[in-house]
Amino acid sequence: MLVMENTERDKVFSNGDVYCGDYLGTIPHGKGKYTWSDGTIYEGDWEEGKMTGKGLIIWSSGSTYEGDFSGGYLHGQGVLTGADGSTYDGSWRMNTKDGFGKKKYYNSDFYEGSWKEGLRQGSAKYIWSSGNEYIGTWKAGLMCGRGLLKWGNGDIFYGLWVDGLRDGSGFYRFADGSCYCGTWSRGIKDGRGTFYPAGSKHISLKKWFKSAGYDGNLKGQLSSVEENSTSRARIKRSISEKVTSGNSMRSPSQISSRASFDRDYIVGDISRELSSKESSYKLICKSDDDQRDGQEESDVVFEREYMQGVLIREHIKKNAGKSYKVKHRSKFTIKESKTRSCITISSGNQSHYFMLNLQLGIRYTVGKITPVPAREVRCTDFAEQARIKMFFPRKGSQLTPPHYSLDFYWKDYCPMVFRNLREMFKLDASEYMMSICGDDGLREISSAGKSGSMFYLSHDDRFVIKTLRISELKVFLRMLPSYYNHVQLHENTLITKFFGLHRIKLKCGRKVRFVVMGNMFYTELRIHRRYDLKGSSYGRYTDKGKMNQNATLKDLDLSYEFYMDRSLRDALFKQIDLDCIFLQSQNIIDYSLLMGLHFRAPEHLKSLLELPDSLYNTENELAADGATSTAGLSVPPTGLMLVTHEPGSVSTAPGPHIRGSTLRAYSVGDKEVDLLLPGTGRLRVQLGVNMPALANSKVKDNEADSTEVELFEVYDVVLYLGIIDILQDYNLRKKIEHASKSLFLDPMAISVVEPKFYASRFIDFLEKVFPLP
């Protein structure tokens, strides 16, 4: 048994370090002082030769730390004072700031909130010495997620941030009472929005939060974001090795209860700030109303569209304050309709249970089929017997885990077929499960559409889940063998990529069938416009009241012609012909070309760029007052350019909606090409993905007296294309239309036409949309 020696004596090590204090045998234990040869000093508690307990360390640089130690690490609560005068008071874990803490920087900036592995991450407040203040979420040291920035001059912005820049939907209110609701990309306005002049009636913050998808629960909205890791090192732990103030170490952590309390306090500041601004604005409006003597009806607002900061379109709208609503949806947006859903799962906990059941089932079946040795698909893999069935009781079983949902029966259709399809589409099984079955869960992105289906989106936007009617399920199962052969033969196919077909049956007997698809709008570039094109004119327009940033427009709404490189166009129509022949062979009609457009600002308008309202450098510090700085700003491009393909310069990772080869361009000598966007990046050009074109705007006769101003006629655009809605059988649709007597309508206008005629009309329409150069 070792006996504690309480006698203090100095011990000098061979490297010049000195220890004076208590020992356990020959090991420092208890109270003691250790001095390194370079002058660094630690005085405090020791345990079996390691700094553990309370202590004070003074580095030779002048930095000091006083607080908790454990196993030789800064670990627990403590205060670090830097040689430059900065201080940090908060939680530590293995030498890194981790948990809740307050830091005052050398330039008098102040941060209070969550830290993760030495970086600002989670909910927090940052106050600049200039008086500007940010309250919201952070990720990897940068503003990321939802948050509010208040400038010293009274301007405020509340919305989405990415990498320290406004990116996504937001609400910007100027000090004079005017405001702009719209979208931003890399810190500059990009897309559609509405500007309300000072003194005009505009949407309240409370209504905007609700219509933009912010449910008002700010504490919930400003939760911690995805964890990021950075390189870390540890404090040297041997007695004769000094502890340096700049070291850090990787380790997972949980925010303390104190941090949780302080986080709620900080997030509450957003509610108070916005409430204060809202109240102040109401007083201003009331005063303005008294002065205007009831001239409220003269209010006007400006519906605008920006392209990388350049204003390209403006529409003057009167009396819009009462009815204007901002729609905020995910990248994949489905048309709104009052059609009743084919399944009653969209209300309350029922939808939550469905999503949880779906995740449990997919995790089970993918995990079960993945270890099976790979082999070629056989005819029996498409047969009625090719099903995986399992009962998921709430309490769990030998084969299923316990869960908090309802008891349900799970059926997985043709598991070997879809396993091979996922591999054919180069989709990793673990990534597939993490995307759909991760802790972040799924989210419902639309009410029932025209077909009565519901749509859900994976947390990372990669996959769309659509519920099916029994008739659509039968059509899909019937065409699945041919579909498998088609996508195997044609890697460039534009037809939707399917990754799984499943069914959930509750104990009450209700059945929900659904298919997992790739999200076509999971893209590197922001999608500014979406079109669903069928080549028909009957009912193919969108009500003006429903046109917004994320609306999916129709045939009659399209006012552009797209001119492409000759070889790119030939490849596009060659594949469209092949896909239409396939769909025609399966008796399918009513399919669409889903088209996403990314607009680029005209080259000669760089000088008209509307700069961000605030500019940040890499340290997230605001530029000096009155200065014009471009630090950290994504400068808009000067056009599009096709260059010879370089595999090492672009990402070749397959997306959930793409698989094909790199395309060749006539303008580059029929070589494989990449798309170069100066100032933005370099992208691989594939069929239906990152395809450049020139969009010519066609001015319609009925728009001659319109209050909407189209500022430019020609745009550079990047196209994203795919064929969707391929589960409509001609014979079934004909029966339905006969029952509703809709065949008395003009047969050229209705959708129920023979597959051959439908395909011909579809291609003829697209040839007008993409004319020969």
Side-chain angles (χ1 to χ4, degrees):
M1 178 178 177
L2 294 175
V3 180
M4 180 73 178
E5 296 184 19
N6 294 319
T7 58
E8 295 188 5
R9 65 178 187 271
D10 292 343
K11 182 175 181 180
V12 181
F13 295 89
S14 59
N15 63 356
D17 294 352
V18 178
Y19 173 78
C20 179
D22 299 331
Y23 290 86
L24 181 62
T26 60
I27 300 174
H29 186 90
K31 298 289 185 179
K33 180 179 180 180
Y34 195 100
T35 304
W36 283 266
S37 58
D38 68 350
T40 299
I41 301 172
Y42 169 78
E43 186 171 3
D45 298 330
W46 292 81
E47 185 175 309
E48 298 182 356
K50 299 173 183 177
M51 298 178 292
T52 301
K54 298 289 185 180
L56 168 67
I57 186 169
I58 303 174
W59 287 275
S60 57
S61 64
S63 300
T64 65
Y65 171 83
E66 184 173 9
D68 298 331
F69 290 80
S70 179
Y73 296 101
L74 313 185
H75 190 90
Q77 294 293 316
V79 179
L80 175 70
T81 302
D84 59 2
S86 62
T87 60
Y88 172 79
D89 182 1
S91 298
W92 294 81
R93 182 179 179 88
M94 307 293 278
N95 283 356
T96 62
K97 305 176 187 73
D98 203 299
F100 182 85
K102 302 176 182 179
K103 180 169 182 176
K104 183 177 180 181
Y105 295 84
Y106 71 92
N107 61 354
S108 298
D109 288 359
F110 179 75
Y111 176 87
E112 179 182 13
S114 297
W115 298 77
K116 183 72 173 178
E117 299 176 357
L119 297 173
R120 299 185 290 263
Q121 180 148 319
S123 300
K125 174 195 294 184
Y126 193 106
I127 303 175
W128 284 266
S129 57
S130 61
N132 301 316
E133 181 177 349
Y134 173 80
I135 308 170
T137 57
W138 297 72
K139 181 178 180 180
L142 299 172
M143 296 178 289
C144 193
R146 291 187 180 125
L148 178 144
L149 180 61
K150 176 185 175 183
W151 282 265
N153 64 0
D155 290 1
I156 63 170
F157 171 83
Y158 181 75
L160 297 174
W161 299 77
V162 174
D163 295 336
L165 298 170
R166 294 187 292 277
D167 197 294
S169 61
F171 187 102
Y172 192 107
R173 175 172 290 168
F174 299 89
D176 63 0
S178 59
C179 71
Y180 178 79
C181 305
T183 57
W184 279 256
S185 179
R186 301 297 300 165
I188 54 180
K189 296 185 181 74
D190 194 16
R192 292 187 176 186
T194 302
F195 175 74
Y196 299 87
S200 64
K201 292 283 186 179
H202 61 73
I203 187 172
S204 69
L205 287 171
K206 183 177 180 181
K207 289 182 179 179
W208 180 81
F209 292 150
K210 184 176 181 180
S211 61
Y214 307 155
D215 61 13
N217 179 12
L218 290 172
K219 294 181 182 180
Q221 298 292 352
L222 297 173
S223 59
S224 295
V225 293
E226 244 185 351
E227 300 178 2
N228 246 4
S229 58
T230 56
S231 59
R232 293 157 303 261
R234 65 179 179 86
I235 291 181
K236 297 178 181 179
R237 300 176 62 181
S238 70
I239 299 175
S240 61
E241 292 175 320
K242 75 171 183 177
V243 183
T244 59
S245 61
N247 291 339
S248 56
M249 170 127 185
R250 173 192 296 263
S251 179
S253 67
Q254 297 289 339
I255 296 177
S256 65
S257 57
R258 174 192 167 191
S260 179
F261 171 80
D262 289 332
R263 180 186 65 225
D264 292 344
Y265 171 79
I266 289 172
V267 173
D269 286 349
I270 290 185
S271 300
R272 289 191 292 274
E273 185 64 46
L274 294 178
S275 298
S276 173
K277 285 289 179 182
E278 189 73 8
S279 300
S280 300
Y281 175 73
K282 287 180 179 178
L283 291 175
I284 294 172
C285 283
K286 183 177 181 181
S287 175
D288 290 344
D289 287 344
D290 293 340
Q291 294 178 11
R292 287 186 293 174
D293 295 326
Q295 295 180 6
E296 181 179 316
E297 296 301 321
S298 63
D299 287 346
V300 297
V301 299
F302 300 86
E303 294 185 350
R304 293 174 173 174
E305 184 170 1
Y306 289 86
M307 186 185 299
Q308 291 91 56
V310 176
L311 179 65
I312 64 168
R313 187 177 291 103
E314 185 173 83
H315 173 65
I316 301 174
K317 191 173 181 181
K318 294 184 178 181
N319 301 319
K322 298 180 180 179
S323 60
Y324 182 80
K325 294 183 179 179
V326 178
K327 301 288 184 182
H328 175 78
R329 297 186 188 163
S330 59
K331 295 179 181 178
F332 189 97
T333 308
I334 307 300
K335 300 165 283 184
E336 290 187 337
S337 175
K338 295 182 180 179
T339 306
R340 187 175 182 179
S341 173
C342 60
I343 50 171
T344 311
I345 61 170
S346 59
S347 61
N349 290 333
Q350 293 183 10
S351 183
H352 168 74
Y353 290 145
F354 164 73
M355 289 187 283
L356 182 57
N357 294 350
L358 186 153
Q359 290 179 298
L360 289 167
I362 289 180
R363 185 183 292 117
Y364 172 79
T365 52
V366 174
K368 186 177 180 66
I369 196 67
T370 300
V372 176
R375 62 172 174 79
E376 290 294 325
V377 171
R378 305 164 184 160
C379 294
T380 54
D381 293 321
F382 297 96
E384 181 66 29
Q385 308 92 294
R387 310 285 189 266
I388 292 179
K389 300 179 182 179
M390 181 56 61
F391 175 58
F392 284 78
R394 188 169 186 175
K395 294 182 179 180
S397 67
Q398 292 182 344
L399 299 175
T400 63
H403 56 86
Y404 296 100
S405 184
L406 304 174
D407 294 352
F408 69 97
Y409 295 90
W410 172 262
K411 179 186 284 189
D412 186 27
Y413 295 91
C414 307
M416 183 57 73
V417 174
F418 285 102
R419 176 250 177 90
N420 282 23
L421 281 173
R422 290 192 292 268
E423 292 181 352
M424 192 185 302
F425 297 145
K426 296 178 171 45
L427 180 61
D428 182 76
S430 61
E431 291 182 4
Y432 180 64
M433 281 199 296
M434 287 302 297
S435 178
I436 296 177
C437 308
D439 294 337
D440 293 325
L442 305 170
R443 59 185 189 273
E444 187 175 341
I445 60 174
S446 175
S447 58
K450 182 179 178 181
S451 65
S453 298
M454 303 298 297
F455 293 85
Y456 298 85
L457 194 67
S458 63
H459 75 91
D460 57 4
D461 296 341
R462 297 182 67 189
F463 302 101
V464 176
I465 296 166
K466 175 186 177 182
T467 60
L468 301 177
R469 294 181 180 274
I470 182 63
S471 58
E472 293 175 314
L473 175 68
K474 291 179 179 179
V475 170
F476 193 13
L477 290 173
R478 185 202 73 208
M479 69 179 292
L480 186 56
S482 299
Y483 171 83
Y484 183 89
N485 292 332
H486 182 75
V487 298
Q488 189 175 37
L489 289 173
H490 306 288
E491 65 172 0
N492 287 329
T493 181
L494 294 171
I495 292 177
T496 306
K497 273 62 174 177
F498 294 108
F499 302 107
L501 184 62
H502 316 281
R503 189 194 75 181
I504 291 172
K505 178 181 177 181
L506 303 180
K507 268 195 166 182
C508 64
R510 179 180 300 156
K511 298 178 182 178
V512 182
R513 306 160 189 88
F514 59 92
V515 64
V516 182
M517 308 176 290
N519 180 6
M520 205 190 87
F521 293 145
Y522 177 75
T523 59
E524 296 92 341
L525 302 175
R526 176 183 294 277
I527 302 297
H528 295 110
R529 298 280 182 88
R530 300 161 174 81
Y531 290 92
D532 181 291
L533 306 175
K534 293 183 182 293
S536 173
S537 59
Y538 181 67
R540 301 297 296 165
Y541 63 90
T542 306
D543 294 336
K544 288 188 176 181
K546 294 182 179 180
M547 287 188 178
N548 56 66
Q549 175 69 21
N550 292 314
T552 301
L553 308 178
K554 302 177 183 177
D555 303 57
L556 297 179
D557 303 316
L558 184 64
S559 59
Y560 301 100
E561 292 177 343
F562 303 96
Y563 292 90
M564 307 172 67
D565 177 275
R566 184 185 304 174
S567 295
L568 297 184
R569 183 185 184 278
D570 290 346
L572 174 64
F573 276 92
K574 178 181 178 181
Q575 189 58 54
I576 289 176
D577 286 340
L578 291 170
D579 290 340
C580 286
I581 290 172
F582 163 72
L583 294 173
Q584 180 182 328
S585 70
Q586 300 300 306
N587 219 32
I588 301 297
I589 61 168
D590 207 29
Y591 44 87
S592 308
L593 181 75
L594 185 61
M595 178 171 66
L597 302 181
H598 172 82
F599 288 89
R600 304 303 292 179
E603 180 178 355
H604 62 285
L605 296 177
K606 185 177 179 180
S607 61
L608 299 181
L609 170 66
E610 185 169 307
L611 292 175
D613 301 289
S614 65
L615 301 170
Y616 300 86
N617 61 23
T618 56
E619 295 297 328
N620 265 342
E621 296 173 354
L622 288 173
D625 293 343
T628 303
S629 168
T630 57
L633 171 65
S634 178
V635 179
T638 57
L640 302 178
M641 186 183 303
L642 287 174
V643 295
T644 304
H645 174 58
E646 294 181 3
S649 301
V650 295
S651 173
T652 57
H657 60 296
I658 57 176
R659 175 177 68 110
S661 58
T662 305
L663 295 185
R664 298 177 180 272
Y666 176 81
S667 57
V668 191
D670 200 35
K671 298 178 181 178
E672 292 185 342
V673 292
D674 297 332
L675 175 62
L676 186 63
L677 297 88
T680 301
R682 182 173 182 148
L683 305 174
R684 184 185 179 198
V685 179
Q686 295 170 273
L687 199 67
V689 179
N690 301 326
M691 298 185 70
L694 197 65
N696 281 2
S697 178
K698 299 183 296 183
V699 180
K700 300 177 182 178
D701 295 337
N702 58 0
E703 293 180 350
D705 299 325
S706 173
T707 56
E708 180 173 345
V709 181
E710 179 87 25
L711 300 181
F712 312 105
E713 296 181 357
V714 181
Y715 303 95
D716 283 327
V717 296
V718 182
L719 301 173
Y720 296 88
L721 307 166
I723 296 177
I724 63 170
D725 296 337
I726 65 166
L727 300 181
Q728 299 297 320
D729 181 80
Y730 166 68
N731 292 324
L732 179 61
R733 285 293 300 273
K734 190 173 181 180
K735 291 179 182 178
I736 295 173
E737 296 291 344
H738 268 299
S740 62
K741 298 182 180 179
S742 62
L743 286 179
F744 289 103
L745 298 171
D746 180 5
M748 291 292 293
I750 63 175
S751 60
V752 181
V753 293
E754 293 183 359
K756 183 177 181 179
F757 179 79
Y758 187 90
S760 175
R761 186 181 68 182
F762 181 71
I763 294 173
D764 288 345
F765 173 76
L766 295 182
E767 286 180 340
K768 296 177 182 177
V769 174
F770 303 97
L772 286 168

